[in-house]
């Protein structure tokens, strides 16, 4: 049977899902994301990320990523445009609900798989869920050591799927409220330039040199982009601007 610590862990994860369903966390997006991070830890994973991909508008899908991956990974992922070849994203959009990371899964994205493993994302799995509008939720859990056993996959599926069923509609609703009017947002030519260079992995100082402006001016433009896109930070703003086709 389950050991006492294991039983306590199972009860704790059920309590987190109940907390979500009860509405205690439903008013604060950061609280929900904190619960997602705690769940990843309880399930035995050091790293995690939760992404939302809206179905509409088709011309400007919005991708929101809450990042609990190694520092700098999402920035590198964007700079290399790995979202264009990521099999997890592709299969999730195609309707697959559970993907265990492997050489076979990433056979068509060898550079992404190599870089992910070098960053410490060596063993992982991703689960997908959809809300009634078709918005996709991708919950990815990863660690740098220890293959994921079949029993562990079942355990992750059980708890993560229950949690996502409760949490994903909340997160999508919060995202839609926060992004109201984003479709009509426009960036100036200079703001677009700054975003493009940032997405390519350049620092504010490097962008200043490239564009022959001050670093303070670069940060001013980035601040405007964050404000216009109602993002919580620079990385999130760049993700939205790039994946929605604004740049």
């Amino acid at each position: 049977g389950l050991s006492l610590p294991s039983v306590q862990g199972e009860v704790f994860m059920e309590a987190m899902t109940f907390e979500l369903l009860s509405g205690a966390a439903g008013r604060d997006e950061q609280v929900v994301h904190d619960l997602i991070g705690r769940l990843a830890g309880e399930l035995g994973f050091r790293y995690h990320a939760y992404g939302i991909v809206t179905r509409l508008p088709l011309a400007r899908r919005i991708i929101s990523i809450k990042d609990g991956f190694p520092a700098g990974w999402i920035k590198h992922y964007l700079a290399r445009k790995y979202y264009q070849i990521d099999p997890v994203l592709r299969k999730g959009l195609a309707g697959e609900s559970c993907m265990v990371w492997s050489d076979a899964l990433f056979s068509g994205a060898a550079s992404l798989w190599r870089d992910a493993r070098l960053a410490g994302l060596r063993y992982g799995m991703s689960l997908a869920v959809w809300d009634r509008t078709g918005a996709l939720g991708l919950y990815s859990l990863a660690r740098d050591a220890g293959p994921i056993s079949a029993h562990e996959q079942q355990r992750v599926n059980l708890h993560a799927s229950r949690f996502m069923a409760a949490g994903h509609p909340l997160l999508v609703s919060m995202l839609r409220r926060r992004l109201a009017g984003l479709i009509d947002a426009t960036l100036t030519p200079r703001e677009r330039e700054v975003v493009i260079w940032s997405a390519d992995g350049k620092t504010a100082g490097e962008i200043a040199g490239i564009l022959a402006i001050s670093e303070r001016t670069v940060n001013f433009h980035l601040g405007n982009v964050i404000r216009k896109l109602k993002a919580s930070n620079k990385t999130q703003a760049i993700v939205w601007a790039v994946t929605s086709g604004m740049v």
Side-chain angles (χ1 to χ4, degrees):
L2 294 172
S3 64
L4 181 58
S6 178
V7 169
Q8 290 174 336
E10 303 297 307
V11 171
F12 176 71
M13 286 185 283
E14 291 297 326
M16 282 196 292
T17 301
F18 176 78
E19 182 179 347
L20 202 60
L21 288 168
S22 70
R27 294 178 296 276
D28 189 328
E29 186 176 2
Q30 186 57 52
V31 170
V32 179
H33 281 298
D34 287 345
L35 289 174
I36 290 172
R38 287 165 58 192
L39 177 61
E42 286 294 325
L43 289 170
F45 293 89
R46 182 178 181 183
Y47 305 117
H48 75 281
Y50 196 95
I52 297 173
V53 184
T54 62
R55 186 175 65 88
L56 296 171
L58 291 176
R60 278 191 176 182
R61 288 182 186 269
I62 301 300
I63 298 180
S64 171
I65 301 174
K66 193 65 176 181
D67 175 22
F69 277 162
W73 171 248
I74 293 296
K75 186 175 182 180
H76 177 73
Y77 179 96
L78 289 172
R80 296 298 300 271
K81 296 181 172 62
Y82 280 147
Y83 51 87
Q84 295 178 345
I85 62 171
D86 190 342
V88 171
L89 180 58
R90 186 179 69 250
K91 287 179 177 293
L93 288 170
E96 196 157 334
S97 60
C98 183
M99 295 144 278
V100 179
W101 300 1
S102 66
D103 293 342
L105 177 64
F106 288 91
S107 60
S111 57
L112 167 56
W113 187 221
R114 180 198 64 232
D115 287 359
R117 292 169 68 81
L118 287 173
L121 304 171
R122 299 182 60 84
Y123 302 95
M125 59 186 294
S126 300
L127 293 92
V129 68
W130 303 263
D131 78 342
R132 60 184 181 179
T133 71
L136 168 68
L138 277 174
Y139 185 25
S140 293
L141 306 101
R143 60 191 180 213
D144 53 9
I148 305 171
S149 68
H151 173 73
E152 196 174 8
Q153 290 175 34
Q154 293 175 349
R155 182 169 179 261
V156 171
N157 252 320
L158 171 66
H159 292 290
S161 295
R162 287 180 179 174
F163 192 89
M164 292 172 74
H168 182 62
L170 283 174
L171 289 172
V172 172
S173 176
M174 293 173 191
L175 177 64
R176 290 188 186 284
R177 288 197 301 270
R178 187 154 45 88
L179 298 183
L182 174 60
I183 295 171
D184 298 322
T186 58
L187 304 182
T188 67
R190 184 62 92 188
E191 288 166 353
R192 293 179 73 254
E193 285 183 312
V194 169
V195 168
I196 289 169
W197 285 116
S198 295
D200 281 341
K202 302 297 184 184
T203 65
E206 290 170 332
I207 296 171
I210 293 169
L211 300 180
I213 58 179
S214 70
E215 185 172 342
R216 181 177 179 180
T217 301
V218 171
N219 288 324
F220 170 77
H221 288 307
L222 284 172
N224 281 341
V225 173
I226 293 170
R227 176 181 55 79
K228 286 182 178 181
L229 302 189
K230 301 180 183 178
S232 58
N233 54 53
K234 182 180 75 172
T235 299
Q236 192 174 72
I238 293 169
V239 169
W240 290 343
V242 171
T243 60
S244 68
M246 286 186 169
V247 299

